[in-house]
Each structure stands twice: as structure tokens, then as C-alpha cells.
Amino acid sequence: MSFKYVGKPIPPQDGFLKVTGTATYTFDLELPGMLYAKLVTSTVPHARIKKIDVSRALGVPGVVRVVTGKEYPYRVGMYAGDRDLLAIDKVNWVGHPVAAVIAETLEAAEKAIDLVDVEYEELPAIFDPLEALKPDALLIHEKMEEYRHSPAFKPIPGTNIANKFTLVRGDVEKGFRESDVVLEEEFHISHVSHCYMEVQNVIAHYHLDGTVEIWTSWQNVAPVRQIMALSLGIPHNKIIVRIPYVGGGFGGKAGLGWEALVAILSKAAGHRPVKLVLSRKEQFSTAAVREGFHAFAKAGFKKDGTFNAYSVRFILDAGAYADYTVNVGRAVGYSADGCYEIPNINVESLTVYTNKIPTTALRGFGYPESHWVLEQIIDRAAKKLGIDPSEIRRKNLVKPGHSHTCTGERLREDAGDPQKVLKTLVDEIGWGKPSENPPEPWKVRAKGLSLFVKGPAQPPNAAASAILKFNEDASIDLLIATGNFGQGTVTALMQIVAEEFGLPLEKVRVDYVRDTHKSAYTWQTVGSRGLFTDGIAILKAIEDAKNQIFTVASEVLRCPKDQLELVDGEVRVKGKPWEKIPLQDIVMGYTYPNGNSIGGPVIGRGVFMSTHTTYLDPDTGQGNPTIFHTFGGTAVELELDLLTGEINILKAVEVLDLGKVINPLLVKQQTHGGLIMGTSISLYEEIKFDERGWVVNPNFTSYYLVRIKDLPREVVARYIETPQLDGPYGARGIGELTMIGVAPAIANAIYNSIGVKLDRLPMNPEYVWRALREQRPDLVEEAWKRFSKYEKIVEVTI
Amino acid sequence: MSFGAPYLTLPEFTYHKPKSLKEALQLLNEFRDEAKVMAGGVGLIAFMKERLLAPNHVIDIKDIPELKIIEYRKGEGLKIGATVTMSEIEKHDIVREKYVALHQAVKAGSDPIIKNRATLVGNICEAIPWVDGPVPLIAYNAELEIMSVDNVRRMPVSEFIKGPVEISLEPNEIVTSVYLPDLPPEAKSLFMKFNTGSEFALATLAAYVNDSKKPRDARLVYGAVSTKPVRAYEAEKIILTNKNISEAVILAAEKASKEIDVISDVLATEDYRRHLVKLLTINVLSRIFEVG
Amino acid sequence: MGRWITLTVNGSKRRVEVKDNEILLDVLRDKLKVKSVKAACWRGECGLCSILLNGKLVKSCLVLAVEVDGSEILTVEGLARDGELAPIQRSFIEHGALQCGFCTPAFVLASHKLLEENPSASEDEIKESLSGIVCRCGTYYEIIEAIKDASKHYQVRKKV
């Protein structure tokens, strides 16, 4: 089947606005009469607020109001419902907002925050989730039982556990007894920041009539409205949430934002619009980041490499608030088995409060975490068993149509071709073919593999919808709420519409503003689901519109509907292309020569609703959590400096079974982007805390991001197209997938070649250097000799 | 009080843009502690945003003609005025050919956009332990020219930087230029930095030797490892007293990594830095003496 | 309390009253409404506020407005001529050298400046010249391709 648009490398449709600097972000917006808010944040990690004195701050010219938490003691959230707008009586981390100054200018607000005097009575602070789990640990959330949480989660009041996820399948103890090799390993991950370039910023206007208008740099409109409606008690149709272009999200602009707070500030400031813009420092200390993590894993294998039993305990360092992280904890848990069939498996995943910065999802939603553990376990087992890492993977890979995942879901026949992913990966990296020797003899070159699978982490009833509206000239306005923060999804969706109607792409328009009032509902664009869910909804809307068009045309052309087709903007009778009506003569209703009219404006509607997903059983974690699985793999060839611990990626290969590549240009761009972000997080990124709980590197100088000069030397992206039959043109999601395999592939390369285990992220030079010295002093010694021994003896005159 | 310094705006001050050095010095003499001198502004504006500085007066010296000069005179050396930017230094032929360590430090010092505003003198006056600029200057025994309304003095860069953001400058003084002595034709100098996964260096080394065949004068200056750049005097001696230079390079590296002051901070621990000192020393010296 | 300064912004002369402590970035965005100039760190690390100030690329978050009285400023809004995109702008679109787009104005402007000065820039030179700007979406490979592809137009232009 040949297509005009689908499968073609169409440039991003918002490119023109972006290269001319005319794409509008919330950051660029101002409203008449707008005020500026600035947060006063806690300087201590855990304390009761004794007193807040705002009198000096109110004396700053231009300051309109100072708001404190006690005045508006709302609890807000999506999943755990644990968050305050401003600290109510206790601060729980360094950076916790305790008050907000509202002023005529940002300068006045910034001056005034220094003059808000807060008196604290300090409490002991807990920085390690393992400490927080001890029976005598101080409680960070004393009234957890009062929080309104989603039924998918199990908070445990009286402890610091925000969610306990349990999964049981088979008999893991028996599994271990029947295994020939049993490994026990530990892994750790540090906190990282999303570092989207556009900081979190919000404008809220709480009108006197009770209507609230929001402009925000967030991924999705619907959850913002839902959270505000539920926590502030405002009817949904009185909240209008608008999102223009968004300067990056990466999961950090899903979940809970600042909209409810800024709405309250607008109300408090006499119903004038208020804008809050976080500074980069606040992004690192006050906004939510990706959680830290410990994992304790035990894995049993049979001699032939069969993965027989797996028991893993994940402890997430969720920080002071875990509204969204409880769902990350759940996803870490149910993705513990990756793409392998493991008959006996036990998982416990605890999302634990500590007195650190709150946390949320980051590109991959728990899957990078679970795969960091699992994919290294596989390589360690392979070495113990003397089996090649690609072979042990081949042996244990799930078989779509036959295998069950650890939640007991039978994988659909058309879920993808993991064996082909593995084979392509192995071929592209030249697995089994030794690397060339590095020019410097104190370095080693190595190759590593990692496979992965992911589906969206979402509630079972997460819906999507689309409205498709024709204009007089048969151009189309597509009213969708699909988040548009850089992924290319919207361009792909426009291609589908143009393809289906046989119209030029220019005839399809998606407005850049998402609007709860004007866009069709979609639950969220997260978890790589946008193209899949919203694509399906759009295809249904197209079908609906076509049906309306054919109904009219069939009357006009006096021909049954099933004999009609849409070609090049015309409705034609099949086999008689001269019997036709141009689309523009139908889409507003057809008018006969005498003026009689039939039909009417064509508006297509379509929905996506998942039919087979379920909640997971609270005791066993069994059920169907997701709507598709995308299989993929990452392989790297790297060079390791044994003396400095530096890792240099020479080649990175990414293979994904996408079902159908709708836009090869943008899919490649996503893949490259994920590989780069994955490299950055694997090697360098880490939020560091000191003993007081202060973030000590809240800027891009001391928190390093990979830049243009640090790219992997060569990248290869390969796609397999095993169609998912109910996906749009067979497609599955991709956005987050591209990042998951990078870290384990790097660690595996080093483990395979020199046996050094890298258990924690990031694998920065100093950490790798230490690991090398501890685990392979002989190699380091040898490298040192090679480095410091020169054959050429040079003499000088003294 | 809030955590950190989350400000996007600057504290208030009065801005002055004198047209002559005399005028600048008079202004500074008048305002003294209340004033800060601005050259490129890169450091000053960032420091003011962080509220590490909040002067009432900012004296911008960019319009003063004599401070824009970079010139080399045979026998005298290289003079770099206070407002000469890093980009101008990097493009300067004499710097590239003769003062190689300085060229390398400037090249690696920051990104090219920042370098269009940042100045070497500003870099020295910031005295941030991680910056690259002062390190080669100390290796060249460079001196600063410092002026006030009634005085001109010279001071070695090594003495001028006293500690983190601490310099030997009176409130009414301006650093007008940095002077690098002329170098013998056989002189060799190199700069190297380790900053993988970091914007700021974890360790740097600028080495200077008067003649790689007949070393009489050698200086090893390490940056980013301590609260200010430090010299490895004992290691220098090893180079000057050992006939077998291949061996001396290794011994000097071992020595340097032990003798100098090294600290742990947010970027690296003391252990790792001492190790990097050793590696940098071998790398740099083996290039200088061509023993690699 | 303010002073009036005159700037030529993308070819048009603008007079604006500024306070001594106002940052050029804020004056451009808030007072002159030049919104292509973005900010993500406010301290010279991300490069998103880069502009051409009298022909030189600078990060406008580290420049005072008062110091640039009389200057000429070019931002990405000023690149298109007579309704025609500059070749580098077209190339960014064609190569998909943008994702969220927030850093795009800075990258486009810096790439344009690079190619005007050095139309045959090597890959290393491209990387060096753009090392001060951050694209978190990681569109770097595409940006490099876009610049390489656009360079032919600048080579011709330089010859003319």
C-alpha cells in the first residue's frame, strides 16, 4: 500500500513559527493588569512553622499581598493527594514554599521575599528512604489517612510509605530452590532534574464571577482542570486551561503543577491576573524532579540460562511529596520483568517519603529504573553461566501470543517482534566481533546490549477524543488536546488526516493552543501514548466525517455509499471518476441548483477508550495495566579510560519495533534525542544534597547536561514494523522508549569486558574510577604502567 | 529568607560609564566600598543576581580607550588591558604562537558566546577557584598593574589571588592590565584541563619551562584543585635536577600530587583530584619534553 | 529615575526608558516585546538569550540595558528578508532541527552568524561555536546537518 503522507519524512509543521521566533510560549505571555508572584521557600528540611511575619515585606513599594499556607489549607493532587499549596504548619524540605509575594513587578516581589520572616522549630530530618522505613522513624506526613488518593494506590498511614505495590506470580521461593545459579545484587539511582528549557510558569486569572482562566507551561490541559476542580471545588466548566507551545516536558510537566496555587493568588490579589515564573534554581530545589532509588534484587537461573525466579524490592526516595511518584513506583513494580518470561516473580515497590525535594515522572516513568536493574542482572547471570548475553536474552524473551507478563497479561499476537529487535541490534553493533584496539593502551573498548519494553503507565480508563471540523473550502480544523512539547506527534496526526481525506497537508490545521474549552478531551499526553490513543480517536472522527460526507454524496450522486470514494479532495463514484462532487460542495451541506439543501456542516467525532485494561489486584499486582507494548533495544560500543574513569560512547544503536513509522524524519529525531538525554543521565546528571538537605548544584554549571560537543560519535537508528492491528496504521508509541536502554547498555559493556560492576547512576568519571580501583586494581595497575612507561628515554642538560 | 538565591532581577544601583581612566578612578575613590568595577560584566552581573554582591554603584570601564589594548613588545612582553575580551585574546597571533598555555586556557575556558564579553582581568578578579584564566598567568609569572587616583602598583597574579573570591585590591583600586613577561625563544608552555561531565574544571595544569632541552626554570601551576591556584615547587625541582627527564616526569607527577593543597567539593573529592594532578602532570610534561 | 536609551532592534530604531539595574534580556522581552529571546538559566549557562549585539553574539542575561545605549541588536525575528526565510531557517525546518523549539531562536541565530563568518565550517567548528547553547530535547545531530546543508547558500553569498 503506498501512501502520500503516512510514512514520509514530513518536516515538523510548527517549524516555521519556531525558526522565526514567533511561536508563543506561556513564558512569552502577559495579560493586562498582570501581577507577579514569587515564592518564599524553606531554608530548613523539616520544621514546624512557628510564625510568619509578612509586615516588612508588605512595606516594599509595589507589593500587593503576601499569602501564607494557613490562609488556604487545601490538599491537592492527582494520585496521592498529598500536596499543600504553601506549607500549612510544617515544612518538609529545603525549598518548600511557605509564602508567596504578589507585586506589581517581579523586582518588587523579589525584594519582598527577603523580608518575609519565618520562624521555624526544627525537627529531625530524614534523607534516606531506608531510614524512613525504620519502625521508629519520624512521620513526615502525620495525617496521611486524610488524603484523598486514587484507588489504584495503597498508602500506609502511620508510616512514611506513600504507596506499597506488591506483585506475586508463581512461587518465587520454589523457583530459587529449583535454580542452578542465584545472584543477589543492589542498585542505586540519584535524583535528576528534567531540565526542560522553559521553566515551569503559570498565569492565572480568577475572575470575580468565579471563572478561572489558566495559561500554563504544562503537558496537558485536562489534568490541570481536574486537579483544580477536585481540590478547590470549582466546577469544571468554570475552569479554562490553555496551553500554548511548551518548551519541553519530559514527564516533569505532567502530574501536579502550580496552577491551583496561582489561581488562589489571583483571587487573593483582588482578582487580577498573576504570573509565577520559577527560576532555574527553583527548578532544582522547589519543583519536582525524578526520584532517587534503591533496588535489592535476587535472581535465579537454570544452567541452560532459563530465568526461573526473580525477587526484587524497589525503594523509591520520593522526597517530601509523592503525588505522581506513587504511579512511578507502581510502574517500576509491574515492569520488573522487562521483556522476559519469568515464571516465578515477587516484586515489592515502596514509594517512600523523605525530607528532600518532591519527585515526579521523567521520560520512561519507572521503566528506566526497573530496566537499570533487570538488564544488568541478565548480563551478570550470563557471565556466571558462561552464556553469551545475546543468547541468554534470546532464550528468555517473551513470545507475543503465548507469553504472559508478570501482571498475568497475555501478550497479544501482534505486540511486536522482540526476537527481530534483538537480532537487528546484535547485527548493527557487530556483536561478537571484537572492537578495535584503542590507540592509547590504557583504554579499553567494549560493547554492551540492553533490551526493553514499555507501555503507557495510565489508569485503565484513560480516554482520548478528537473533533474534526470542516471549513467552507474543505480545509480541516482538528480540535485535539494532544500535548505538543516537542515530540512531533501533532505533525504525524496531521499526516494521517491528510492521508485519509486525500487532501494536501496544508489543508489540515491544528491550533497551537490546547484549551479545555475548545479542544476535544484527552486524558493526558504522557507515557508515549499520544500518537496511539489520539491517533485512534482521530481515525474514528475521520470515519464519522466520511460517513456524513458519503451520506450526502450518495443522495446527490444517486449511488450507494459503499460505491463512493474520496480521492484528491473529491467524492467519486468508484469506477466512474467523472461522476464526482468536490468536497467543498458538501462539507457545509450540499445545495441543489434550485437552492434546496441537504446535509450540513460536517463535524467528525471519535474516541479512544481502552477496552481490556484493568486495575491491578492490590495483593498480587495481577491485571492488564497497559494498552500496548513497544519492544526495543540499545547497544553501545564505548571506550573506557582505565585511568580517569571517563566513558566515551563511540557508537550507539537503537532498534525499536514501532509497528509503523508514520514520519521517519521525526522518529529519528526522537531516537537521537532520547539517546542523547539517556547518555547525559547515564553518565553525568545528579542532584547533590549536603548534610543539611540543601541542593548544592542547582544550576547548569555544576549540574552537567550533555552539550553539542559531547555527542556519541556515531548513532544508528533502526525500526521494525510489526503492525499492532488496532493502532493507527499499525503504529505504537516511541517518545520515552529511546532513553530506557542507554544506562544498562553502558554498564553491561563495562561488565562484559572487564567484569567491573557499576551499580549506581550516574556513571561519572570519579565513580567509575573508584569502581575500577576497587574491583580491578590489577587492570588499573597495568594501565598505569602502560601510561607512565615510555620507551623513549630523553636526556636533558642539567 | 528563601533557599538559595532564586532571583531573576538585580538589586538597585547607579550605573556610571566613565570615558577616561582618571574619571573612573575618581568615581571609585569617591564611592569606594559602595562601588564595583565592571569590565565584561559576566562575573559581576551573575554575582549580583546571586546576591553575593550588591553594590550601590557600578562603574563600567568599557569606554576607557587604554584598557582596550592588547599589545606585545619584544623584550617587554605582552600587555592585556582590563577590558580585552577572551575572544580577542584567543584570536591574537602572539598569544597563540608564544603564550601557548594562555591560549589553551582561554580556548578551553568557556563557550565562544561568553568569551565575547568575558575578560581575562575579570576572570582573575572573580578569583573563583575553578576558573582557568589565572592558572597560566601564574605559570608565566604575570603581574597586574593596579591603579588608584594617587598610586600605581604592580603585583604578581599569584599574590593577588588570596583565596576563593578574595583578592588583594583596595576599594579605590582598579586592575588596569595584566603583564606577561617576554619569553625566551626556546620556552615552552602548555595548559590542560580535566572537565569531563562538568562545566568547571576538576583540575587544571599550566606548565612553563624556559627550555625543554636545558630546563633552568620550570613552573607547575594547578588550578581548580584548591581554594586558589597552587604551585608544586618540589615537583619543579625534580624536573630541574634530574638528567633522565623521562623518569623525572613520573617522579614530578607523584610529587606534585602529594605536595600541593587539594580539597574536596561538589565537583570532586580530594582523592580523585590528586589522581588527576598526577595524570595531568605526566600528560603535560611528556608533551613539553617530547617523551611520550 | 530611569534613563532613555536608543537601540536599533532588527532594523528599527527604538527608544526605551530603563532603570540602571535592568538586564538587557528583560528590556528586550518585557519592554520591547522581542519575545524570541528566551531564558532558561539567567546566568550565562544555557545560551537561550543569545543576541547579536553590534554584530557579536552575546548572552543578553549578562548585559545591562544601560550599557548598550546606541547599539544595534539583531535577533531571529530580523533574519527573514522581504518575506523570505534566511537559508539557515529553511534548513532547520527541512532537517527537523527543532523539537520543543524553545532553544531554536538561539541556535538559528548562532548558526547564521557562524555561517556568515565561516561558510565552510567543519563539524568540529560547528560544535565549538554552538557549545554555549543547550538543547535539552537533544536535537544536536539534526542541527549539525542543517548547518552543513545550509552552508552552500552562505558560500555563494560570500562569493557575491
Side-chain angles (χ1 to χ4, degrees):
Chain A
M1 176 113 189
S2 83
F3 299 116
K4 196 167 171 206
Y5 292 109
V6 167
K8 298 292 188 295
I10 308 287
Q13 290 303 290
D14 48 13
F16 190 94
L17 294 183
K18 286 175 177 173
V19 301
T20 50
T22 45
T24 300
Y25 299 79
T26 304
F27 191 62
D28 303 326
L29 293 175
E30 304 163 37
L31 295 183
M34 191 172 86
L35 298 167
Y36 296 83
K38 188 84 185 176
L39 302 173
V40 179
T41 59
S42 169
T43 51
V44 293
H46 200 194
R48 298 208 185 279
I49 299 170
K50 286 182 72 180
K51 204 176 127 192
I52 302 179
D53 182 353
V54 303
S55 53
R56 290 201 300 145
L58 286 171
V60 175
V63 169
V64 175
R65 274 234 32 199
V66 182
V67 174
T68 62
K70 266 211 156 65
E71 301 170 66
Y72 300 98
Y74 293 103
R75 283 286 157 193
V76 296
M78 181 184 276
Y79 292 141
D82 58 4
R83 188 61 191 269
D84 45 24
L85 295 180
L86 296 164
I88 296 167
D89 44 23
K90 211 172 90 164
V91 290
N92 288 327
W93 89 93
V94 173
H96 194 165
V98 288
V101 173
I102 311 158
E104 298 286 346
T105 64
L106 181 61
E107 192 186 353
E110 292 199 337
K111 233 182 245 176
I113 59 166
D114 290 344
L115 303 174
V116 173
D117 301 303
V118 189
E119 228 177 277
Y120 298 107
E121 181 190 321
E122 281 205 60
L123 299 166
I126 309 172
F127 298 127
D128 184 344
L130 299 175
E131 289 294 316
L133 285 175
K134 289 190 175 158
D136 56 344
L138 201 66
L139 293 185
I140 294 169
H141 290 264
E142 291 153 330
K143 295 174 189 165
M144 204 193 288
E145 65 279 1
E146 293 175 9
Y147 300 165
R148 190 188 53 233
H149 69 85
S150 138
F153 304 101
K154 227 166 66 177
I156 306 184
T159 73
N160 286 311
I161 300 170
N163 181 44
K164 180 177 177 175
F165 173 83
T166 318
L167 184 143
V168 181
R169 187 168 171 77
D171 182 341
V172 81
E173 286 313 320
K174 185 162 169 270
F176 285 129
R177 281 196 303 274
E178 291 170 356
S179 296
D180 298 308
V181 165
V182 176
L183 308 91
E184 287 193 64
E185 310 277 355
E186 274 186 36
F187 299 91
H188 312 274
I189 292 181
S190 301
H191 288 72
V192 295
S193 173
H194 306 77
C195 300
Y196 31 73
M197 287 291 102
E198 186 189 12
V199 290
Q200 295 185 358
N201 68 113
V202 180
I203 301 172
H205 194 175
Y206 203 127
H207 294 275
L208 259 173
D209 70 353
T211 309
V212 185
E213 282 184 282
I214 300 283
W215 292 87
T216 181
S217 179
W218 213 245
Q219 289 177 208
N220 307 287
V221 288
V224 170
R225 182 176 68 173
Q226 177 77 346
I227 289 171
M228 288 180 65
L230 294 185
S231 53
L232 304 182
I234 307 170
H236 283 73
N237 72 342
K238 288 213 151 194
I239 305 169
I240 300 152
V241 181
R242 300 192 182 101
I243 299 180
Y245 283 111
V246 179
F250 312 111
K253 291 178 181 167
L256 176 65
W258 303 102
E259 295 82 9
L261 169 65
V262 186
I264 290 298
L265 297 182
S266 168
K267 188 179 181 185
H271 299 276
R272 286 173 66 183
V274 173
K275 185 167 193 177
L276 173 71
V277 179
L278 293 199
S279 67
R280 183 55 60 179
K281 210 166 242 181
E282 289 163 320
Q283 285 288 160
F284 276 107
S285 53
T286 291
V289 299
R290 186 173 89 178
E291 84 289 345
F293 163 99
H294 303 292
F296 306 93
K298 186 174 172 185
F301 289 81
K302 296 206 168 168
K303 258 187 215 130
D304 65 355
T306 305
F307 200 158
N308 196 44
Y310 187 38
S311 159
V312 59
R313 189 162 190 249
F314 299 115
I315 313 286
L316 280 73
D317 181 353
Y321 293 88
D323 182 54
Y324 214 51
T325 312
V326 292
N327 200 25
V328 178
R330 175 175 169 270
V332 173
Y334 72 65
S335 64
D337 60 340
C339 42
Y340 307 107
E341 191 158 10
I342 310 172
N344 305 295
I345 180 163
N346 262 18
V347 183
E348 182 177 79
S349 176
L350 302 178
T351 305
V352 181
Y353 290 120
T354 59
N355 293 114
K356 294 215 289 249
I357 183 168
T359 56
T360 189
L362 189 152
R363 199 174 193 169
F365 216 108
Y367 285 67
E369 292 92 317
S370 57
H371 284 75
W372 169 241
V373 176
L374 178 71
E375 285 296 318
Q376 288 202 71
I377 294 269
I378 296 278
D379 271 45
R380 292 182 189 183
K383 187 163 259 190
K384 268 206 162 157
L385 293 160
I387 302 175
D388 183 86
S390 71
E391 178 54 26
I392 197 169
R393 286 184 167 80
R394 196 192 58 71
K395 185 167 180 61
N396 288 294
L397 270 180
V398 286
K399 297 168 198 72
H402 302 280
S403 305
H404 290 77
T405 69
C406 67
T407 68
E409 177 178 0
R410 196 177 72 91
L411 273 179
R412 330 164 28 124
E413 258 99 318
D414 61 356
D417 191 343
Q419 292 289 357
K420 196 168 173 190
V421 168
L422 176 61
K423 179 159 189 329
T424 312
L425 195 64
V426 159
D427 290 347
E428 288 291 344
I429 198 71
W431 189 251
K433 195 176 135 219
S435 298
E436 280 177 36
N437 282 332
E440 291 124 325
W442 53 89
K443 295 183 178 174
V444 291
R445 288 190 176 176
K447 295 177 188 178
L449 297 177
S450 164
L451 295 179
F452 50 83
V453 62
K454 189 184 183 301
Q458 55 162 68
N461 55 356
S465 62
I467 298 169
L468 188 151
K469 179 164 84 66
F470 273 93
N471 300 313
E472 291 87 335
D473 62 350
S475 64
I476 294 172
D477 284 328
L478 185 59
L479 309 184
I480 49 173
T482 319
N484 183 21
F485 31 95
Q487 331 89 303
T489 312
V490 173
T491 297
L493 295 174
M494 290 163 75
Q495 288 170 243
I496 290 175
V497 175
E499 188 72 55
E500 289 287 326
F501 283 109
L503 288 170
L505 192 58
E506 302 77 62
K507 287 252 180 184
V508 184
R509 184 173 182 84
V510 179
D511 189 53
Y512 74 96
V513 180
R514 302 291 171 271
D515 184 328
T516 49
H517 194 60
K518 299 193 182 98
S519 316
Y521 173 89
T522 200
W523 168 71
Q524 289 208 69
T525 303
V526 290
S528 314
R529 79 195 280 276
L531 178 66
F532 186 85
T533 58
D534 299 21
I536 291 172
I538 286 170
L539 282 169
K540 299 231 174 97
I542 291 167
E543 204 184 308
D544 183 25
K546 276 186 183 170
N547 188 40
Q548 296 170 38
I549 290 164
F550 287 153
T551 303
V552 173
S554 116
E555 228 174 285
V556 178
L557 296 169
R558 298 172 185 236
C559 164
K561 270 204 271 188
D562 61 5
Q563 291 303 303
L564 295 172
E565 61 182 353
L566 255 172
V567 183
D568 290 340
E570 295 172 338
V571 182
R572 294 181 189 165
V573 177
K574 285 179 191 167
K576 296 182 194 164
W578 56 89
E579 288 192 20
K580 60 184 182 183
I581 319 174
L583 257 185
Q584 61 262 35
D585 290 355
I586 298 184
V587 293
M588 288 294 157
Y590 182 81
T591 305
Y592 287 99
N594 74 349
N596 286 165
S597 303
I598 56 168
V602 172
I603 300 171
R605 49 113 25 207
V607 302
F608 163 82
M609 197 73 206
S610 167
T611 48
H612 77 287
T613 42
T614 65
Y615 289 113
L616 299 181
D617 182 274
D619 300 317
T620 63
Q622 299 298 290
N624 297 342
T626 194
I627 48 179
F628 62 79
H629 293 89
T630 305
F631 289 94
T634 307
V636 296
E637 180 175 10
L638 56 79
E639 190 172 272
L640 167 69
D641 187 322
L642 295 166
L643 297 176
T644 60
E646 288 165 285
I647 294 168
N648 186 7
I649 298 177
L650 305 176
K651 181 174 179 180
V653 180
E654 184 109 349
V655 180
L656 292 152
D657 189 342
L658 296 181
K660 171 74 188 172
V661 173
I662 306 283
N663 184 327
L665 177 71
L666 299 182
V667 155
K668 209 165 171 183
Q669 177 205 58
Q670 280 299 301
T671 311
H672 291 165
L675 281 170
I676 292 170
M677 191 168 185
T679 304
S680 194
I681 288 178
S682 300
L683 297 182
Y684 306 127
E685 295 183 36
E686 174 180 21
I687 297 177
K688 296 179 185 172
F689 302 88
D690 70 8
E691 67 290 348
R692 299 165 298 170
W694 289 39
V695 173
V696 292
N697 58 341
N699 53 60
F700 296 146
T701 317
S702 44
Y703 182 99
Y704 191 75
L705 299 177
V706 159
R707 296 186 177 226
I708 197 165
K709 58 189 176 11
D710 312 307
L711 303 181
R713 213 179 286 169
E714 186 191 351
V715 282
V716 177
R718 292 283 177 268
Y719 307 106
I720 292 161
E721 298 183 298
T722 313
Q724 169 136 346
L725 299 176
D726 59 357
Y729 287 80
R732 298 184 195 88
I734 170 181
E736 306 162 292
L737 278 295
T738 54
M739 208 182 83
I740 297 173
V742 182
I746 292 172
N748 284 343
I750 291 172
Y751 180 71
N752 291 333
S753 68
I754 57 171
V756 171
K757 295 178 178 178
L758 298 174
D759 297 332
R760 57 161 283 245
L761 286 177
M763 297 175 274
N764 62 30
E766 177 163 353
Y767 165 62
V768 174
W769 171 74
R770 275 184 201 289
L772 287 167
R773 278 204 318 179
E774 279 160 22
Q775 298 175 38
R776 290 297 306 273
D778 56 315
L779 259 189
V780 174
E781 183 65 22
E782 181 60 32
W784 174 252
K785 275 189 198 143
R786 287 183 186 161
F787 174 71
S788 60
K789 190 177 151 198
Y790 296 101
E791 278 144 32
K792 192 165 127 199
I793 303 293
V794 177
E795 298 226 331
V796 292
T797 320
I798 300 187
Chain B
M1 263 296 280
S2 275
F3 169 68
Y7 313 102
L8 307 180
T9 62
L10 292 181
E12 277 175 303
F13 55 79
T14 305
Y15 172 82
H16 307 267
K17 199 173 195 181
K19 298 278 176 221
S20 71
L21 191 53
K22 195 174 157 208
E23 193 192 333
L25 290 168
Q26 276 168 351
L27 281 167
L28 193 57
N29 203 49
E30 187 187 337
F31 301 124
R32 295 189 167 243
D33 280 334
E34 306 250 288
K36 277 284 161 195
V37 172
M38 177 166 101
V42 169
L44 180 65
I45 294 175
F47 274 43
M48 288 195 291
K49 275 199 189 147
E50 300 276 327
R51 301 298 187 265
L52 297 170
L53 291 173
N56 291 328
H57 297 273
V58 168
I59 302 171
D60 184 356
I61 56 173
K62 271 193 282 297
D63 268 2
I64 301 172
E66 57 262 55
L67 303 187
K68 296 180 186 172
I69 291 167
I70 174 165
E71 68 178 353
Y72 171 75
R73 286 204 185 143
K74 214 170 161 48
E76 283 177 32
L78 179 70
K79 175 188 171 182
I80 302 172
T83 59
V84 176
T85 64
M86 293 289 198
S87 301
E88 289 160 348
I89 297 171
E90 190 179 336
K91 283 183 200 128
H92 199 269
D93 291 340
I94 294 288
V95 174
R96 198 172 53 240
E97 288 154 18
K98 210 169 174 68
Y99 298 93
V100 178
L102 176 64
H103 178 75
Q104 291 171 326
V106 170
K107 194 166 165 48
S110 181
D111 71 71
I113 309 179
I114 286 284
K115 283 190 276 194
N116 281 339
R117 290 265 297 174
T119 65
L120 183 60
V121 169
N123 205 229
I124 300 165
C125 291
E126 271 177 30
I128 295 174
W130 302 295
V131 301
D132 300 330
V135 184
L137 294 176
I138 295 173
Y140 292 125
N141 272 343
E143 290 189 342
L144 300 174
E145 182 188 72
I146 298 167
M147 292 175 89
S148 62
V149 270
D150 48 14
N151 193 26
V152 182
R153 66 182 176 105
R154 281 216 187 192
M155 187 180 224
V157 176
S158 57
E159 287 170 37
F160 180 77
I161 299 172
K162 296 201 291 192
V165 296
E166 217 189 319
I167 51 175
S168 235
L169 194 70
E170 292 302 314
N172 66 340
E173 288 181 325
I174 295 179
V175 178
T176 50
S177 303
V178 50
Y179 284 91
L180 288 77
D182 201 6
L183 306 179
E186 307 77 19
K188 278 194 171 179
S189 66
L190 283 177
F191 173 87
M192 197 175 272
K193 113 184 206 176
F194 186 89
N195 67 333
T196 302
S198 176
E199 277 297 304
F200 279 133
L202 278 60
T204 61
L205 165 60
Y208 167 81
V209 178
N210 68 308
D211 181 344
S212 60
K213 303 283 177 282
K214 295 176 202 163
R216 295 283 174 272
D217 195 3
R219 276 164 241 142
L220 298 174
V221 185
Y222 297 88
V225 295
S226 185
T227 52
K228 59 176 187 174
V230 286
R231 260 179 83 172
Y233 294 100
E234 294 296 321
E236 291 170 5
K237 258 186 229 156
I238 291 176
I239 293 166
L240 299 180
T241 55
N242 205 325
K243 203 168 166 189
N244 179 347
I245 199 71
S246 320
E247 202 178 285
V249 167
I250 309 297
L251 293 174
E254 301 275 1
K255 190 60 164 183
S257 78
K258 291 194 184 98
E259 73 169 293
I260 59 172
D261 267 345
V262 174
I263 57 161
S264 292
D265 63 17
V266 60
L267 301 180
T269 64
E270 182 188 334
D271 281 4
Y272 188 52
R273 283 206 164 98
R274 288 200 186 276
H275 175 70
L276 292 176
V277 163
K278 204 153 65 171
L279 297 179
L280 284 174
T281 311
I282 294 176
N283 266 324
V284 167
L285 289 181
S286 55
R287 279 180 175 76
I288 286 186
F289 292 106
E290 293 168 18
V291 297
Chain C
M1 67 168 197
R3 342 177 170 221
W4 286 90
I5 63 168
T6 307
L7 300 171
T8 307
V9 183
N10 296 324
S12 86
K13 214 164 218 164
R14 311 282 297 268
R15 265 171 68 70
V16 58
E17 192 182 12
V18 299
K19 293 197 335 175
D20 285 8
N21 66 340
E22 275 187 273
I23 307 272
L24 180 57
L25 162 70
D26 299 332
V27 170
L28 285 170
R29 285 183 53 83
D30 300 342
K31 293 195 167 158
L32 301 176
K33 311 297 176 193
V34 184
K35 300 285 192 182
S36 76
V37 185
K38 307 294 193 220
C41 77
W42 288 270
R43 42 178 263 164
E45 297 163 343
C46 73
L48 266 55
C49 64
S50 297
I51 57 166
L52 279 166
L53 178 65
N54 298 323
K56 274 194 186 133
L57 269 178
V58 302
K59 299 189 178 180
S60 65
C61 72
L62 295 178
V63 179
L64 299 178
V66 277
E67 38 164 329
V68 300
D69 186 14
S71 297
E72 279 207 29
I73 288 169
L74 184 72
T75 69
V76 84
E77 284 99 335
L79 281 191
R81 290 282 149 79
D82 310 320
E84 278 275 310
L85 293 183
I88 190 67
Q89 290 174 304
R90 282 202 311 271
S91 194
F92 262 63
I93 299 174
E94 284 159 15
H95 288 270
L98 49 91
Q99 291 186 46
C100 82
F102 205 67
C103 69
T104 308
F107 271 107
V108 168
L109 193 68
S111 308
H112 177 76
K113 172 72 181 163
L114 168 71
L115 289 179
E116 283 210 319
E117 271 178 7
N118 181 7
S120 47
S122 67
E123 186 157 329
D124 281 344
E125 285 168 329
I126 293 171
K127 287 181 176 177
E128 172 61 24
S129 73
L130 299 178
S131 62
I133 313 175
V134 176
C135 168
R136 178 54 152 178
C137 302
T139 324
Y140 296 125
Y141 292 109
E142 287 75 14
I143 290 173
I144 294 169
E145 285 311 306
I147 295 172
K148 283 183 181 167
D149 190 27
S151 65
K152 52 184 184 275
H153 300 285
Y154 289 81
Q155 282 157 9
V156 172
R157 209 190 269 193
K158 196 136 191 173
K159 270 185 205 153
V160 174

